[in-house]
Amino acid sequence: MPLEFGGSTVALRKSNSLGKGKSLNSDGNVPISRSLGTERLYLRGAVADDAPAMNAAIIVSWTELSRWMDWAQGTQPTIQETMERIDKREAGFEDRSELNFSIFEKRAGTFIGNCSLFRFDWAVPRSEIGYWCATNKVGHGYITEAVLALTEFAWSLGLVRVDIRCDAMNLRSRAVAARAGFALEGILKNDCRTPQGALRDSCVFAQVPRNIEMSS
């Protein structure tokens, strides 16, 4: 499956092309792509005009989202509040703390959900992938496709490990991680609490690039 970085197409690979001990973060002036493309999807940083579609998807998916997501609690967001969340995302690209991509169908341009690289440790370097899908878009393999693209993007940044962590009860999230080639390394008992306050067991999935040069 080809993957497009900011409009240029490259073949999917499982290697760290930047080599031992190097990453894009070693030079703060190196820009990080705000857009990725796959066969069916377009992943890009959201803009203000996306707020109505994004907000509508959040509202439709609220019951499911509120079960798992800390940010989906209490009163459902307004379009203005969603627009404010979008405005804050650019800072994550600038300081390399969180890279958020909204997911759209290429043909119809329909908003599908969101995926991100976050919890970076650039000293390793490693990160974590998070994602959510609009309820009416579940079951088409879109999130798995987006995670595959984001994982390959992570290797292009020089990362040597990517995690996916989720509630052990979240079977859909676990299935996405497994389909995207992430190995279940373990289940952390009583790792944290759910948005509702109950103790949570967390699944830790991980993937590393093949043929990576390990530093001594």
Side-chain angles (χ1 to χ4, degrees):
M1 179 178 66
L3 175 63
E4 299 167 7
F5 290 83
S8 62
T9 303
V10 299
L12 281 176
R13 62 198 184 283
K14 297 294 183 181
S15 63
N16 183 355
S17 61
L18 294 179
K20 178 179 175 180
K22 297 180 180 179
S23 73
L24 281 182
N25 195 59
S26 62
D27 183 353
N29 294 320
V30 176
I32 292 181
S33 177
R34 265 69 163 177
S35 63
L36 308 171
T38 69
E39 182 179 352
R40 299 184 299 167
L41 305 175
Y42 187 42
L43 285 61
R44 61 170 173 78
V47 297
D49 287 347
D50 298 321
M54 185 183 298
N55 192 76
I58 290 172
I59 300 305
V60 168
S61 311
W62 193 255
T63 298
E64 184 73 11
L65 290 173
S66 63
R67 184 178 178 186
W68 312 113
M69 303 295 189
D70 289 331
W71 56 265
Q73 306 300 311
T75 306
Q76 295 177 352
T78 64
I79 292 177
Q80 179 61 37
E81 288 170 334
T82 299
M83 191 176 299
E84 291 171 0
R85 285 174 60 90
I86 290 173
D87 288 342
K88 294 176 181 178
R89 290 183 173 187
E90 180 62 23
F93 277 96
E94 292 298 328
D95 65 14
R96 290 162 161 73
S97 62
E98 185 167 354
L99 310 181
N100 262 291
F101 294 89
S102 292
I103 308 168
F104 299 86
E105 291 176 298
K106 268 187 175 178
R107 291 184 178 180
T110 307
F111 177 82
I112 291 173
N114 194 78
C115 60
S116 63
L117 283 167
F118 66 112
R119 291 180 183 163
F120 283 95
D121 182 346
W122 288 104
V124 177
R126 60 168 299 278
S127 186
E128 185 174 334
I129 286 179
Y131 44 82
W132 66 269
C133 182
T135 300
N136 61 349
K137 294 297 182 180
V138 169
H140 300 284
Y142 291 137
I143 299 302
T144 300
E145 188 171 327
V147 169
L148 286 167
L150 202 57
T151 304
E152 179 61 20
F153 179 58
W155 306 151
S156 80
L157 298 179
L159 303 190
V160 298
R161 176 185 170 95
V162 175
D163 291 351
I164 292 177
R165 297 181 178 231
C166 65
D167 192 318
M169 300 294 290
N170 192 339
L171 300 184
R172 282 180 173 169
S173 185
R174 293 177 65 167
V176 167
R179 285 195 298 267
F182 283 72
L184 178 61
E185 292 190 334
I187 298 177
L188 307 181
K189 298 294 185 180
N190 295 342
D191 175 51
C192 58
R193 292 191 177 271
T194 68
Q196 295 73 36
L199 284 170
R200 187 188 102 167
D201 295 345
S202 298
C203 290
V204 180
F205 293 86
Q207 189 174 148
V208 297
R210 296 175 186 172
N211 303 321
I212 184 173
E213 291 185 81
M214 300 301 293
S215 59
S216 58

